[in-house]
Amino acid sequence: MKPQPAPEVPGKTPWERMDNAVRKIFSVSKDEIATPRRKRAKKRSRRKPK
């Protein structure tokens, strides 16, 4: 079984390609960050007073 070819990464030099690849791996969309925060906020607002 042949491995899949490496994805095309923009950049003129090896350093630019490496930098762009690392940024792509570690980037997280705002939707993925906002979702857990909204869920926690809803849980906090539903607490019953003592």
Side-chain angles (χ1 to χ4, degrees):
M1 186 171 159
K2 283 181 139 180
Q4 294 181 349
E8 186 63 34
V9 179
K12 295 179 182 178
T13 65
W15 171 250
E16 286 178 355
R17 287 193 295 271
M18 177 68 169
D19 188 45
N20 288 334
V22 171
R23 286 177 188 265
K24 196 174 208 179
I25 291 169
F26 289 120
S27 66
V28 179
S29 69
K30 290 183 179 180
D31 294 333
E32 291 176 19
I33 294 173
T35 303
R37 289 183 182 174
R38 288 182 195 150
K39 288 180 182 176
R40 279 187 276 159
K42 287 180 183 178
K43 287 182 182 177
R44 288 183 188 149
S45 63
R46 292 182 182 175
R47 285 187 178 170
K48 294 179 182 179
K50 292 183 180 181

